[in-house]
Amino acid sequence: MSTFTIPYPDGLPIGEGWVDCPDHQKVVFPYDGSLVADSPVGSVDHARRAVEAAAAVRSEVAALSTGARRSLLMAIHGALAAHGPELIELLILETGKPRIDCNTELARSLTTWAASAEEVAHTHGETVPLDLQPLGEGMIGYWTRRPAGVVVGITGFNYPLLLASHKLAPALAAGCPIIVKPAPNTPLASLWAVHLIRQVLIAHGVSAAAVQLVTGGVEVGASLVADPRTAVVSFTGSATVGHQIARAAAPRKSVLELGSNAALIVADDAMIADAVDAVIRGGFYANGQACISVQRVVLIESIAEEFELALLARMGEVRVGDPREESTRVAPVINESSSRRITGWIEAALKDGARLLTGGNLIGRSIAPTVIAEVPDGAELWREEIFGPVVCLRRVPSVETAIELVNESRYGLQAAIYTKSLASAFAAINKLDVGGVVVNEIPGFRSDIMPYGGVKDSGIGREGPRFAIEEFTVTRMAMIRP
């Protein structure tokens, strides 16, 4: 029996209304496998209809004034906030994340909407001195930012409301209609959010087709991405899929926030207790299913033993249990397939010589919080994105070699260093080949108003309201001879 009563119409929000879907799939609670709700499954035809409807309202959305867009965004913020407690309960059920992490997801989503509303007034161009060239003497030049057109936002399963907000809010702020495709495992919170958003649009006299949602599999995403009427594709997910999307979307713009194996360097002058606390807080939140959760901890040899002992002494704080309970910090990952992959990687690393310090087993459906030392370079547990509650420790002689080790990865999203030394901090900031460096905090610290994104296989483009708005706009030059 369903544990969630759907508060929106059945079907998909396409065009001005809701379109029937003959196909549905079960969304289950990862903790115990119970049914949360049946969710509509879209098709390629639904995708085509959504793009057609978005293209038809492109001019209407682009013509919205700065004040109108700001009012819309703040009204949407209010609508989501009003349903915040219920959204949190739904996020727990469909993602299986602990309550504390779903509370954070809602708070960050609301911040994204409020910050996007404030950034609307700061989206502008500038004048240009054309008379730097003789032919430009007497001319006036300036450029502005204009909406790029239809945006397609494809989101991951781990933070469905937040990742959708990272695409929805900047798109509307930029004056672009947007189609969201949520991950098949976690479509429900996104569907509810889009329903609330469309109610606000209608109340403000804006076409509901400005925001649409299509569910479905790979073929649905491929149709949305390849449609020539799509101007920008914003994707959050794996590097493999991101590369495929970039090829399919070319030459149109892709904004890709992809995988990572985030590292935390602990220098020999670090406050060990603080660095240990960072691993406790940053290695296991969201059941380890966060692209910038602590995965690789690189320890300077002189403090490695002390760090390991201190970390193991605190691992009992990472409580495994029912994600609905306030005290739970780790619950099952999204599905059994992910669980088998993670435990398989653990077994392979141990077979290749890694040393298990704690965990590595299942507690019910949950992977026990796991710490493994001396994981070899070639092990998938070290070089790929685990996306589970597993932390790997390695020892090196110096901060310089730690930076070199961190950089020996195809990923480069975010990393951190714990140190008292300004020299070490700035060495990390200047030399780590990542999109963001955090000093004396977890690598998973993310401000939703900073330019967030990666390098190498971790993606291209930047999120955060100001920066995503820029990604969803194009510059237009104006050169006038009076």
Side-chain angles (χ1 to χ4, degrees), residues 1-4 25-29 32-39 93:
M1 182 177 179
S2 173
T3 55
F4 171 66
Q25 70 176 22
K26 297 183 184 303
V27 176
V28 300
F29 183 29
D32 60 13
S34 61
L35 176 68
V36 178
D38 285 328
S39 176
L93 291 176

Side-chain angles (χ1 to χ4, degrees), residues 329-385:
R329 293 298 176 267
V330 168
V333 293
I334 191 65
N335 53 36
E336 289 186 17
S337 174
S338 293
S339 180
R340 288 193 299 271
R341 173 186 57 78
I342 295 164
T343 54
W345 285 7
I346 292 171
E347 292 168 3
L350 295 177
K351 184 177 179 180
D352 288 342
R355 179 166 54 97
L356 181 66
L357 300 182
T358 187
N361 58 299
L362 291 176
I363 301 176
R365 291 172 176 253
S366 302
I367 298 170
T370 299
V371 180
I372 300 180
E374 298 155 24
V375 179
D377 285 338
E380 289 174 306
L381 211 60
W382 182 262
R383 62 184 175 85
E384 294 300 331
E385 182 176 47

Side-chain angles (χ1 to χ4, degrees), residues 46 112-113 249 445 455:
H46 288 118
T112 297
W113 284 96
F445 180 84
V455 298

Side-chain angles (χ1 to χ4, degrees), residues 236-250:
T236 302
S238 71
T240 300
V241 175
H243 297 170
Q244 294 170 351
I245 285 174
R247 288 191 292 269

Side-chain angles (χ1 to χ4, degrees), residues 45 62 77 103 209 219 231 304 344 418 465 470:
D45 181 61
H77 173 280
N103 291 342
E219 69 286 351
Y418 268 74
E470 291 185 357

Side-chain angles (χ1 to χ4, degrees), residues 389-412:
V390 182
V391 171
C392 304
L393 310 182
R394 288 277 291 274
R395 302 183 182 193
V396 295
S398 66
V399 168
E400 191 67 30
T401 53
I403 292 172
E404 291 174 0
L405 178 60
V406 171
N407 285 342
E408 291 173 1
S409 171
R410 70 187 182 102
Y411 296 115

Side-chain angles (χ1 to χ4, degrees), residues 444-469:
F445 180 84
R446 175 179 175 182
S447 169
D448 291 293
I449 58 174
M450 289 284 275
Y452 178 78
V455 298
K456 300 190 285 189
D457 274 4
S458 287
I460 188 170
R462 293 295 180 263
E463 291 189 334
R466 173 186 171 186
F467 309 95
I469 291 170

